[in-house]
Amino acid sequence: MSERLKIAITKGRLLDKSMELFEAAGLDCTPVRNPGRRLVHCVPNYPLDAVLAKAPDVITYVEHGVCDLGIVGKDTILEKGGSFYEVLDLGFGKCRFALAVKEGSDFYGTYKTRRIASKYPEVTRAFFAKKGMDVDIIKIEGSVELAPILGLADAIVDIVETGATLKANGLVPIEDVAPVSARLIVNTASMKLHKELIEDFIRRCEAELEKRREQA
């Protein structure tokens, strides 16, 4: 088959879990598991090429149509947005966005404008907009837990998996903001141009995910 798809995948843990899923669905992912310095890898027994990319770039490549599909965390989708189809929750990479404060502080017990530190200003803005709350959002690139410790912010919005980092720094989550997991996204034009092939790939993934749910 001359027609081939390109799928952009976030490097790191999502890549490992994606390869496990693809292999269980019958794809030979040996070249992707042993990438060396190459960033594009051909799956030998299926018309699919894997493109290794950083999370925000996965969305960029899919949006612009240079990749037909992508696997990226819901956190990146919520923060970056974009025009594409979100077709499948892959069920791995699970964590959550949470609002966290210094232990013992009363976040909602004041009328002052709260300052919120986050690496994810758009997620934070949308969360408080739904509450009708006016907040000042401070973008932090590094360890966001420092902001309340140093008095820069009243709270943080960040990704929480176990809560261990929050606890170690005297912070506690007080409200969930949004669940996060890996998602399969598809370029809108590709869905029409390569409909049969993309639907076949989605069906393979869905069948394996359903098998896992039954075994759980």
Side-chain angles (χ1 to χ4, degrees):
M1 186 184 295
S2 58
E3 181 185 25
R4 293 188 69 82
L5 300 174
K6 281 189 173 62
I7 183 166
I9 308 176
T10 305
K11 293 186 278 189
R13 284 189 297 172
L14 289 193
L15 177 62
D16 294 337
K17 292 294 185 181
S18 299
M19 294 306 98
E20 288 176 16
L21 176 64
F22 294 175
E23 287 169 342
L27 279 63
D28 179 2
C29 297
T30 305
V32 193
R33 285 195 175 277
N34 302 284
R37 293 184 178 274
R38 291 176 60 84
L39 298 173
V40 181
H41 302 273
C42 170
V43 174
N45 67 337
Y46 193 80
L48 182 72
D49 296 329
V51 178
L52 309 186
K54 288 190 175 181
D57 296 337
V58 169
I59 289 179
T60 300
Y61 296 150
V62 172
E63 265 199 302
H64 286 270
V66 294
C67 289
D68 306 289
L69 309 104
I71 291 179
V72 68
K74 182 67 174 180
D75 54 320
T76 304
I77 293 172
L78 289 171
E79 180 64 23
K80 187 174 171 61
S83 178
F84 48 79
Y85 296 123
E86 184 183 326
V87 297
L88 201 55
D89 182 344
L90 298 174
F92 51 77
K94 285 187 176 181
C95 50
R96 71 190 194 279
F97 278 115
L99 174 68
V101 300
K102 286 179 72 173
E103 193 168 6
S105 62
D106 184 6
F107 179 77
Y108 288 114
T110 176
Y111 290 103
K112 72 169 187 174
T113 300
R114 288 81 160 180
R115 289 182 297 177
I116 316 297
S118 183
K119 298 175 188 176
Y120 303 92
E122 295 307 317
V123 171
T124 305
R125 189 172 289 111
F127 174 70
F128 284 104
K130 285 181 182 176
K131 289 179 170 290
M133 288 180 63
D134 184 25
V135 297
D136 290 334
I137 299 171
I138 303 169
K139 175 74 181 292
I140 299 289
E141 296 292 348
S143 299
V144 72
E145 297 85 2
L146 278 172
I149 293 171
L150 299 177
L152 178 64
D154 301 297
I156 65 172
V157 169
D158 200 18
I159 289 177
V160 176
E161 195 166 356
T162 66
T165 302
L166 292 178
K167 186 176 181 181
N169 289 283
L171 305 179
V172 291
I174 59 169
E175 195 170 349
D176 286 349
V177 174
V180 172
S181 59
R183 308 299 168 98
L184 178 65
I185 62 174
V186 181
N187 173 268
T188 52
S190 294
M191 186 64 97
K192 297 174 184 175
L193 292 170
H194 309 295
K195 188 172 187 290
E196 285 188 25
L197 190 50
I198 288 175
E199 287 183 345
D200 176 75
F201 179 74
I202 292 171
R203 278 194 300 270
R204 285 171 179 255
C205 292
E206 283 178 327
E208 179 55 31
L209 292 172
E210 181 60 31
K211 191 186 302 180
R212 293 180 179 187
R213 282 191 289 268
E214 290 173 356
Q215 292 171 350

